[in-house]
Amino acid sequence: MITNFDYLKNEPKFSAFANVAISAEKIILMDPEASIINSRRAMEFAIKWMYSVDKALEMPYQDNLQSLMNEEEYRQLVGADLWRRMDYIRRCGNNVAHGNKKLGRDEAMLCLENLFIFLDYIAHCYTENSTERTFDKNTITARMEKARESKVAAKNIREELEKEQEVVSEQPVLEEAVTEQPVETDNAVAEETKTEESSAEAVCPYCGSALE
């Protein structure tokens, strides 16, 4: 399965957050909230990686995500627009983790897009010969459409199987009815023959009059 974050695996130094970011995109259809959690985790791992390699950043006393993001040097480094995107991921992740609000695919998709922009920023700043990339929603929406089509196809197959099962379940009843009918006819013929024989025994062979 191709994702928007596969390029991160080409840089071994991004291994701390590459797989988590890829996982966030892969599971968005199955579990949007888990995707949001993974987007938040990937972002946190990436921020901590930045603190570990960038000498301009000094690790704060508390190394939780909010503290790392709110360091003045860090906010100036990433800029206001990118920081707001990152904060959206953080807040969505907190809502899911603490059950404050039910979130779905729309929020998960926006988290993925914001994460992509953040990690693309890291790739530009901390690697050589980085190419310009854009977030491709089609890689995800195509999977959504395929899943929708598969669901419809599975429903149609299930309905066809149910119809066939109904025909099969009725089949023994019809065969039993057909089998029993000749038996009843044979019995009727036997009774009629027996009656005729009894009547024949009660008639005089000479005069044809009934015997008492």
Side-chain angles (χ1 to χ4, degrees):
M1 181 187 297
I2 299 175
T3 75
N4 287 281
F5 302 99
D6 289 346
Y7 75 93
L8 295 171
K9 293 191 293 185
N10 297 328
E11 288 288 343
K13 58 187 175 183
F14 293 159
S15 60
F17 50 86
N19 288 335
V20 185
I22 291 170
S23 175
E25 181 170 332
K26 284 184 175 181
I27 64 175
I28 186 173
L29 300 184
M30 297 180 293
D31 193 340
E33 291 194 331
S35 174
I36 292 172
I37 291 293
N38 275 358
S39 291
R40 185 188 186 281
R41 290 178 62 227
M43 183 181 70
E44 183 172 359
F45 293 157
I47 292 173
K48 288 182 177 180
W49 179 85
M50 289 177 66
Y51 271 93
S52 70
V53 299
D54 196 325
K55 295 180 180 179
L57 298 174
E58 183 177 352
M59 182 72 73
Y61 177 74
Q62 292 183 324
D63 63 351
N64 59 68
L65 181 57
Q66 187 168 8
S67 297
L68 294 171
M69 288 179 59
N70 282 314
E71 279 292 303
E72 187 61 30
E73 292 82 1
Y74 189 82
R75 295 187 67 153
Q76 290 179 2
L77 180 66
V78 299
D81 179 70
L82 183 56
W83 189 92
R84 282 193 295 269
R85 292 177 181 275
M86 296 166 64
D87 194 52
Y88 179 83
I89 298 173
R90 182 190 66 81
R91 287 184 288 105
C92 285
N94 287 348
N95 285 333
V96 171
H98 301 296
N100 297 331
K101 186 178 180 181
K102 185 71 174 178
L103 302 180
R105 286 181 184 173
D106 290 341
E107 292 83 2
M109 182 73 81
L110 186 53
C111 283
L112 284 177
E113 184 173 0
N114 289 338
L115 177 66
F116 177 87
I117 294 171
F118 170 55
L119 296 183
D120 186 56
Y121 161 83
I122 290 180
H124 276 287
C125 293
Y126 298 97
T127 60
E128 296 179 358
N129 302 322
S130 179
T131 59
E132 185 177 354
R133 300 178 182 86
T134 56
F135 183 72
D136 185 7
K137 289 184 179 180
N138 291 331
T139 61
I140 302 174
T141 56
R143 294 204 307 271
M144 289 181 178
E145 185 60 29
K146 187 175 180 180
R148 190 178 298 109
E149 291 174 355
S150 298
K151 187 176 180 180
V152 172
K155 181 183 178 182
N156 292 337
I157 292 173
R158 185 171 60 252
E159 290 176 351
E160 288 296 325
L161 290 174
E162 289 174 354
K163 290 178 181 179
E164 290 181 6
Q165 185 61 34
E166 289 177 2
V167 172
V168 171
S169 62
E170 291 175 359
Q171 192 70 22
V173 177
L174 295 175
E175 291 178 353
E176 183 178 354
V178 171
T179 303
E180 290 178 353
Q181 186 175 355
V183 175
E184 293 176 358
T185 303
D186 291 345
N187 290 339
V189 171
E191 289 295 331
E192 184 178 350
T193 303
K194 185 177 179 181
T195 302
E196 290 176 354
E197 289 176 353
S198 299
S199 300
E201 292 175 357
V203 176
C204 176
Y206 298 104
C207 62
S209 59
L211 296 177
E212 295 181 358

